[in-house]
Amino acid sequence: MVHITLPDGSQRDYDSSVTVADVAASIGAGLAKAALAGKVDGKVVDTSFVIDKDSSLAIITAKDAEGLEVIRHSTAHLLAYAVKELFPTAQVTIGPVIENGFFYDFAFERPFTLEDLAVIEKRMAALAAKDEPVLRRVLPRDEAVAYFKGLGEHYKAEIIASIPANEDVSLYREGAFEDLCRGPHVPSTGKLRHFKLMKVAGAYWRGDHKNEMLQRIYGTAWATKDELQQHLTMLEEAEKRDHRKLGRELDLFHVDDHAPGMVFWHPKGWAIWQAVEQYMRQVYRDNGYQEVKGPQLLDKGLWEKTGHWDKYRDNMFTTESEKRDYALKPMNCPGHILIFKQGLKSYRDLPLRYGEFGQCHRNEATGGLHGIMRVRGFTQDDGHIFCTEDQILSECVAYTTLLQKVYLDFGFKNIIYKIATRPEQRIGSDEIWDKAEHALIESLRASGCEFELSPGEGAFYGPKVEYTLKDAIGRHWQCGTIQVDFSMPERLDADYVGEDSARHRPVMLHRAIVGSLERFIGILIEETAGALPTWLAPVQVKVLNITDAQAEYARDVVKTLQNQGFRVEADLRNEKITYKIREHSMQKVPYLIVIGDKEMASGAVAVRARGGQDLGVMSVAEFVQKMTADVAHKSII
């Protein structure tokens, strides 16, 4: 007798072993048809999985997150199946699930084209329509190696050969195609109906640039036609908002092969940067932070003491001078501890909050660079709080409140909270990690925030809260973080004098709100589609004259507005006013002031807001008042 416990707590008894599919069928024909997989005692398995002992079981359908992952994984196999039918000499390698989709890497004698993708997608649809069963079998490792070598699939054979010799491997077959995979997979190809191939790109075998270049086909797959269409619509909108495209069109910045992963800021882009930095600098001042500045190069020995050299060496740029090894800092924390250690600190000095707009460098792989979102040189709004254990909770609560206000000022209302807990490779005792994780959990509870756990995703020196923004088209951007660190002050011998006159180790809280300023500005550009709110816009007002007769008055208006602290420019070219309005509207300037003879005679200005809204004629003083309120309230027009 096998007892099956279902998610609602009910039980079903079977005289002998049963498959997941059998259980689904015994519950109802509808569930049997919808079943994609099962979760037996917490593990996701195929519907063909045999349950031979008392177990808990959840039937997974397309409505479940696990079901969507099974669909995407199976669609990657369907892609490989179609490619092998159309291009028999292509060799298959790997095809994992990624966010919103999947990819599969192939070795083939010529590049795949967009036309090829259309043909492959059509064949995938035809294969799915056959509704062929997806069947699993298990082979000893060496037998599987020989099998794939016999098929001419040398990459697949190499993957299997790297598996320990005493292990069996599972293979999945659909029609004429069989692939190595742990699974699980959908029961038949007919479950795969809503997919699209997106693009093809290069990828090195096993991610190593020393190996041969493969071709990576990306695709997306969804449970329903509507979900697929919504995703494709979002991608179209994202393409319009691409910060790289807008950066060129709005003349904000560029990246250059002379400095891969570094940003060349143009005047208008640097104006945005300055607006963000000066805002954050005011946040520092208003919330008890003392701004500091550390050096770019630090001795290798310091990085060895902190543990970064062992854990992070491959991502660090290094140099040598006078037989000493140095590294460009990838983060600011060790420098802040060295500042903390200068002079005797008392418990009365705590919490001590340092903030720095610290320039950092990380040796990111070239293939991972992406505009100003992922770079090698970046600046963080980096802060570190040195406090006692008793102060951790209140500092974390205060930080979350501050972060929420900052994000709201930038227009972000939706924040997702995650706590990343201890990774397998870490420093510090379990007792210390217990304290740190407990403090972060309690701080979010005290802040009234719903959160989820990300097991094993913490930094090597401490757990962290990750604050993720949800933007206007539903994408997620992880920006802010706060990390509790008991270890680094210990490693660098930082201490303070307690109320008992003894020496104690401070707790170090690592925190950043916007994170990389480069990346955050990229997010802002995409969130607003380049139409930044007035307080952030690089040019807030453009003054346009209709004829040369108003040029001098236009210059006076510009000067008046500039004296009020606004970013204002004049366009006095001998062009039609409609042409100038259209041009600066395309540049997404928040306000256009049009000056003709009537405005000049009355000492007034005609104002147009972004989007073509005619605000009418007003005095310069009235416009100054409107601008002042707009900037102060961080209004989005």
Side-chain angles (χ1 to χ4, degrees):
M1 183 72 69
V2 176
H3 303 283
I4 304 295
T5 304
L6 300 175
D8 63 0
S10 64
Q11 286 194 335
R12 287 180 173 260
D13 297 331
Y14 300 88
D15 292 334
S16 60
S17 301
V18 289
T19 65
V20 171
D22 292 334
V23 177
S26 72
I27 296 173
L31 183 61
K33 184 178 180 179
L36 298 177
K39 185 184 284 188
V40 177
D41 295 332
K43 181 181 179 182
V44 181
V45 298
D46 300 302
T47 57
S48 61
F49 181 84
V50 176
I51 305 172
D52 56 8
K53 62 179 181 178
D54 294 353
S55 304
S56 64
L57 170 65
I59 305 298
I60 293 174
T61 71
K63 295 178 180 179
D64 301 304
E66 296 98 332
L68 184 54
E69 183 159 335
V70 171
I71 287 173
R72 287 171 176 165
H73 196 174
S74 299
T75 308
H77 279 231
L78 186 67
L79 163 61
Y81 184 6
V83 168
K84 288 296 291 184
E85 282 214 339
L86 293 166
F87 310 98
T89 59
Q91 291 191 58
V92 296
T93 64
I94 60 170
V97 172
I98 56 175
E99 185 179 8
N100 295 325
F102 58 90
F103 69 76
Y104 212 113
D105 289 348
F106 301 92
F108 191 48
E109 56 262 27
R110 69 164 177 81
F112 289 123
T113 64
L114 292 178
E115 290 75 15
D116 289 330
L117 294 194
V119 174
I120 295 168
E121 188 178 303
K122 186 176 180 180
R123 180 60 62 92
M124 290 171 65
L127 293 172
K130 289 184 177 182
D131 197 22
E132 295 176 311
V134 180
L135 305 173
R136 181 179 185 269
R137 66 172 176 143
V138 176
L139 289 179
R141 187 205 72 168
D142 291 344
E143 190 174 329
V145 170
Y147 172 70
F148 279 100
K149 281 185 176 179
L151 295 176
E153 298 289 356
H154 301 293
Y155 291 91
K156 194 66 70 173
E158 182 181 326
I159 294 171
I160 300 172
S162 66
I163 297 171
N166 60 343
E167 290 190 15
D168 293 339
V169 297
S170 58
L171 279 60
Y172 283 81
R173 174 179 290 278
E174 48 201 272
F177 177 71
E178 192 166 29
D179 201 359
L180 168 75
C181 191
R182 291 190 182 93
H185 283 282
V186 295
S188 67
T189 59
K191 303 292 185 184
L192 311 174
R193 293 181 294 166
H194 310 294
F195 54 80
K196 185 171 182 58
L197 299 185
M198 306 302 298
K199 64 178 180 178
V200 62
Y204 291 109
W205 169 233
R206 292 189 177 275
D208 188 338
H209 70 279
K210 297 177 183 177
N211 292 335
E212 56 270 42
M213 178 69 76
L214 305 175
Q215 295 187 69
R216 177 169 294 175
I217 296 178
Y218 287 92
T220 187
W222 296 83
T224 67
K225 183 179 179 180
D226 284 346
E227 288 173 326
L228 173 61
Q229 189 54 54
Q230 288 170 12
H231 179 68
L232 296 178
T233 300
M234 185 275 289
L235 291 179
E236 290 175 6
E237 183 62 30
E239 187 174 354
K240 297 175 188 175
R241 295 166 177 260
D242 190 316
H243 74 282
R244 297 166 298 180
K245 171 177 172 286
L246 291 169
R248 291 189 301 271
E249 293 175 354
L250 303 179
D251 192 24
L252 303 178
F253 61 84
H254 80 278
V255 292
D256 194 292
D257 284 342
H258 290 92
M262 313 290 179
V263 185
F264 291 83
W265 290 100
H266 300 188
K268 290 200 290 185
W270 192 242
I272 300 171
W273 173 287
Q274 287 295 317
V276 174
E277 182 179 324
Q278 293 308 319
Y279 168 84
M280 292 306 302
R281 181 165 278 118
Q282 187 63 51
V283 168
Y284 280 172
R285 286 194 290 264
D286 291 346
N287 291 274
Y289 287 85
Q290 302 177 49
E291 190 173 341
V292 298
K293 189 70 174 176
Q296 292 292 102
L297 282 173
L298 292 166
D299 188 275
K300 169 188 172 183
L302 180 68
W303 300 111
E304 289 175 328
K305 287 181 181 178
T306 62
H308 288 95
W309 192 260
D310 290 337
K311 308 291 183 183
Y312 213 75
R313 166 69 184 85
D314 291 342
N315 293 92
M316 298 170 75
F317 288 102
T318 59
T319 188
E320 182 269 337
S321 176
E322 296 180 344
K323 298 182 179 181
R324 289 182 67 180
D325 292 322
Y326 298 88
L328 276 171
K329 64 178 179 180
M331 63 276 297
N332 302 294
C333 24
H336 288 190
I337 294 182
L338 296 184
I339 295 173
F340 178 87
K341 288 176 62 176
Q342 294 300 300
L344 192 63
K345 300 295 187 299
S346 161
Y347 70 94
R348 294 187 180 89
D349 299 315
L350 305 184
L352 182 59
R353 307 181 187 99
Y354 289 149
E356 178 179 2
F357 296 99
Q359 189 171 7
C360 300
H361 291 82
R362 297 180 185 176
N363 192 13
E364 302 283 357
T366 302
L369 301 177
H370 180 69
I372 64 175
M373 296 286 208
R374 183 144 190 163
V375 291
R376 288 176 171 169
F378 59 95
T379 300
Q380 289 183 306
D381 71 314
D382 213 357
H384 293 92
I385 302 169
F386 296 89
C387 63
T388 67
E389 284 190 36
D390 291 342
Q391 294 168 334
I392 294 174
L393 181 60
S394 60
E395 286 298 308
C396 289
V397 170
Y399 171 74
T400 295
T401 300
L402 173 61
L403 173 139
Q404 290 168 336
K405 180 188 181 304
V406 170
Y407 286 170
L408 188 60
D409 282 349
F410 282 111
F412 296 104
K413 299 178 182 178
N414 296 315
I415 306 173
I416 299 166
Y417 304 88
K418 294 182 181 181
I419 297 179
T421 60
R422 68 195 74 185
E424 186 174 334
Q425 299 295 322
R426 59 184 183 269
I427 59 177
S429 67
D430 286 344
E431 180 185 3
I432 285 175
W433 278 87
D434 288 341
K435 288 181 181 179
E437 289 171 357
H438 176 75
L440 291 182
I441 289 170
E442 290 305 310
S443 74
L444 287 187
R445 285 176 177 164
S447 299
C449 302
E450 294 185 6
F451 62 90
E452 57 186 83
L453 296 179
S454 297
E457 295 297 316
F460 72 89
Y461 52 79
K464 58 183 175 179
V465 179
E466 295 176 335
Y467 302 83
T468 299
L469 304 176
K470 185 176 180 180
D471 73 9
I473 58 175
R475 296 172 302 177
H476 292 177
W477 305 97
Q478 196 272 303
C479 292
T481 184
I482 188 165
Q483 305 171 16
V484 180
D485 184 357
F486 287 85
S487 298
M488 202 173 296
E490 176 76 29
R491 287 189 164 219
L492 295 186
D493 196 29
D495 58 29
Y496 67 93
V497 177
E499 195 170 3
D500 58 359
S501 298
R503 297 289 180 121
H504 299 269
R505 297 290 182 208
V507 179
M508 187 178 190
L509 306 181
H510 307 248
R511 47 108 290 174
I513 297 179
V514 303
S516 159
L517 267 69
E518 286 82 357
R519 182 170 177 269
F520 191 73
I521 290 170
I523 293 169
L524 285 172
I525 292 169
E526 296 201 2
E527 163 73 4
T528 62
L532 291 160
T534 305
W535 73 282
L536 289 173
V539 178
Q540 297 169 319
V541 185
K542 203 83 176 186
V543 179
L544 318 176
N545 62 326
I546 295 177
T547 69
D548 287 343
Q550 302 96 36
E552 192 59 39
Y553 177 61
R555 292 189 186 96
D556 290 341
V557 171
V558 168
K559 195 69 174 176
T560 298
L561 296 176
Q562 287 176 339
N563 288 340
Q564 295 295 320
F566 302 126
R567 296 184 288 277
V568 189
E569 293 179 354
D571 183 350
L572 307 179
R573 292 175 298 167
N574 185 22
E575 298 282 359
K576 290 183 178 179
I577 191 63
T578 53
Y579 174 83
K580 291 198 280 190
I581 290 172
R582 183 170 61 252
E583 181 177 284
H584 298 302
S585 295
M586 293 289 290
Q587 287 293 300
K588 305 179 188 292
V589 177
Y591 291 101
L592 302 181
I593 285 180
V594 178
I595 295 175
D597 287 339
K598 290 182 179 179
E599 288 78 22
M600 182 174 65
S602 61
V605 291
V607 182
R608 294 170 63 94
R610 188 164 48 205
Q613 183 182 5
D614 186 353
L615 301 184
V617 177
M618 62 185 73
S619 69
V620 175
E622 288 173 322
F623 181 68
V624 167
Q625 187 176 15
K626 174 173 179 50
M627 280 287 295
T628 301
D630 190 355
V631 171
H633 294 113
K634 313 263 184 316
S635 305
I636 298 178
I637 62 169

